[in-house]
Amino acid sequence: MTQSKVDPRILRTRKLIMDAFIELSEKKEFKDITVKDITAEAMINRATFYYHFEDIYDLLDKSLSEVLLVNLNCDTYQNSELNEEVLISVFKVITNFQRSLSNRCHRGYEDTIARIIREQLEFIFYKMLLKQRPADDEQALKLTAVMLSWGIYGASVEWRRKGDEVQPETFIKSAVPYIISGIDSNSKING
Amino acid sequence: MTQSKVDPRILRTRKLIMDAFIELSEKKEFKDITVKDITAEAMINRATFYYHFEDIYDLLDKSLSEVLLVNLNCDTYQNSELNEEVLISVFKVITNFQRSLSNRCHRGYEDTIARIIREQLEFIFYKMLLKQRPADDEQALKLTAVMLSWGIYGASVEWRRKGDEVQPETFIKSAVPYIISGIDSNSKING
DNA sequence: GCTGATTTGTTGTTTATCCAACACATTTAA
DNA sequence: TTAAATGTGTTGGATAAACAACAAATCAGC
C-alpha cells in the first residue's frame, strides 16, 4: 500500500509542518496564518516547506485529510461490513470532526473542508464495498460510494443546520435503514 | 555569548533528542533507556545521536543542565543582586527540580545530578558576584561561588533528609542571614 | 564456559534540508 | 501615488542527517 522506503526525514518534516499548522490553527484563523509562521513554529526552512507542499492550501488539504483519516481509523472500517452500525459510527466521527474544526475558525473554507470529508468518505466506502461485493461492477460500486459520501456529508450539514438539537446518533438513525436496505438486502443487482 | 551562526537543523535535532529523552524518562528509569529508544522517539537516525552527544550520559548531563538553566531563568538572576530574596528563590527552584527528578526515577545517578546542579549554581552565582563586586579578586569570587553552590545544594539534601516536613522557604530562611551577612555587609575584604 | 541477540560506537556515501539570493505580488503608511 | 515592508514562490551550492555496513561490547539463556 504505502511505500516502505521513504526517507525518515521526509516523514519527520511533514509531521513537524502539520503539527505546527494544527498548533497555529488553534490560535489564529486560517487566513492569518503565513507560510513563515508555520516554518518558524516547525523549526524548518521556508524553502523546505515548498519541497513538501504546493502552497498553504495544499497543506490545509493534506492536514485535514490526514486528521480525518486517523479519526476514521481506516483499518478498522476496511475490515468490517458496511452496515447500520458502521454508518452511524462514521456519521458520529464526521459531526465530531466538524465541531472541532468550527472551534478552530476555518470560516471561508467550508468548500475545501466539505470536499476533503467527501473524498475520504468515498475512499473508505469504496474499499468496503469492494471487499463486500467483489463480483459487482467497479463503476457501480464507485458511484454508490460517491452517493453515500454525499449523503452522509449532507446529513451532517442538515444536522448542523438544526442547531445540534438531537444527538448525531439518533439523528442519523432515522434515515439509515432506508440506505442500508438498498445495500444490504437488495443484493440481486448484478448478482 | 552564544554563536550567532549555528545551523537550525542542529538546534532542532538537539531539541528533538532532548524532548524524546524527557518523554522517555517519564515512562522508564534511566538505566532502561537505550540510545535506540531515544532516536526512535525523536524520529532521527541513531548515527545522528552520536553526532551531537558522546553517549547517553552526555545527554543526561546536557539535558539536565538545560532544564535547570531554564528553571533558574538565568537572565533574571544575572541582572539582580545576590541577596536574601534571590537565595531563597534559587533554593525553591532547586528543591522543586529535585522533586520533579525523583518522580522520574533517576536512582543511581544522584552524583551526576548533584554535580550538574552545583555547576549551574556556581555559574550563576559567579556571574552575579562579578557584577556586584567587579573590583574584587576573581579567584576569591569564584571560590565564594563554589562554596555557595555546595552550601545551597547541601541544604537541599538536608531538606530532603528531613522528609519535606517544612516549606523550602521557611527551611532555608533560618540559615540565609548568616550567609548573606558575610556577603552583603562585611564588604571590607579586599576593599 | 558458549551462542545468539541486542546495544554501542564508527565510517563513507547519498540525500534532504539549509541558506542566500532572486523576481514578483500584496499590504501599509506616509 | 509612492515607497517601504512583508509575504510568496524558486534556484544553486553548502551541509547536517540518513543509511548501510562494520567491529566490539554487553546481556540473555543454555
Side-chain angles (χ1 to χ4, degrees), chain B:
Chain B
M1 177 74 83
T2 46
Q3 308 276 12
S4 58
K5 278 295 173 192
V6 50
D7 196 307
R9 280 174 284 187
I10 291 183
L11 297 176
R12 170 158 51 72
T13 301
R14 291 220 173 110
K15 180 171 159 47
L16 285 172
I17 292 175
M18 287 186 177
D19 287 351
F21 177 58
I22 301 287
E23 180 71 21
L24 286 175
S25 294
E26 288 164 9
K27 297 182 208 155
K28 312 185 189 186
E29 290 204 31
F30 178 75
K31 70 175 174 55
D32 295 327
I33 298 175
T34 69
V35 174
K36 215 178 167 191
D37 293 337
I38 294 168
T39 56
E41 174 83 23
M43 297 181 78
I44 59 132
N45 192 278
R46 205 165 49 82
T48 307
F49 176 91
Y50 293 103
Y51 182 90
H52 293 280
F53 301 96
E54 294 245 331
D55 50 32
I56 205 167
Y57 303 99
D58 186 34
L59 171 63
L60 173 67
D61 193 325
K62 287 177 177 153
S63 295
L64 290 187
S65 297
E66 191 163 302
V67 170
L68 185 56
L69 210 59
V70 169
N71 284 342
L72 281 173
N73 198 352
C74 217
D75 294 340
T76 306
Y77 288 123
Q78 275 182 41
N79 294 325
S80 63
E81 286 221 327
L82 188 47
N83 51 26
E84 174 166 359
E85 186 194 7
V86 166
L87 277 183
I88 290 171
S89 164
V90 166
F91 186 72
K92 282 161 72 178
V93 169
I94 297 301
T95 49
N96 257 326
F97 180 68
Q98 287 184 295
R99 184 151 36 197
S100 78
L101 280 186
S102 70
N103 292 339
R104 284 188 200 138
C105 294
H106 284 279
R107 265 167 299 176
Y109 294 90
E110 285 89 354
D111 292 350
T112 305
I113 293 166
R115 178 179 51 74
I116 293 166
I117 291 176
R118 276 191 289 96
E119 281 171 0
Q120 292 298 332
L121 289 181
E122 185 186 323
F123 175 76
I124 71 161
F125 286 154
Y126 180 59
K127 291 276 175 191
M128 291 172 85
L129 287 170
L130 261 184
K131 259 203 176 157
Q132 213 159 332
R133 299 156 155 269
D136 284 16
D137 175 46
E138 291 192 5
Q139 288 311 314
L141 294 181
K142 197 156 258 175
L143 184 55
T144 307
V146 166
M147 293 181 68
L148 271 177
S149 70
W150 279 86
I152 290 288
Y153 179 75
S156 78
V157 171
E158 182 68 9
W159 174 78
R160 272 198 297 167
R161 207 181 58 77
K162 293 236 177 178
D164 314 13
E165 288 163 355
V166 293
Q167 291 280 68
E169 186 155 351
T170 49
F171 183 79
I172 195 69
K173 259 186 180 161
S174 57
V176 161
Y178 296 95
I179 310 289
I180 287 293
S181 67
I183 298 166
D184 216 34
S185 57
N186 198 2
S187 49
K188 56 190 165 208
I189 309 167
N190 292 348

Side-chain angles (χ1 to χ4, degrees), chain A residues 103-115:
Chain A
N103 292 339
R104 283 188 200 139
C105 293
H106 283 278
R107 265 166 298 177
Y109 294 91
E110 285 89 354
D111 292 350
T112 305
I113 293 166
R115 179 179 51 73

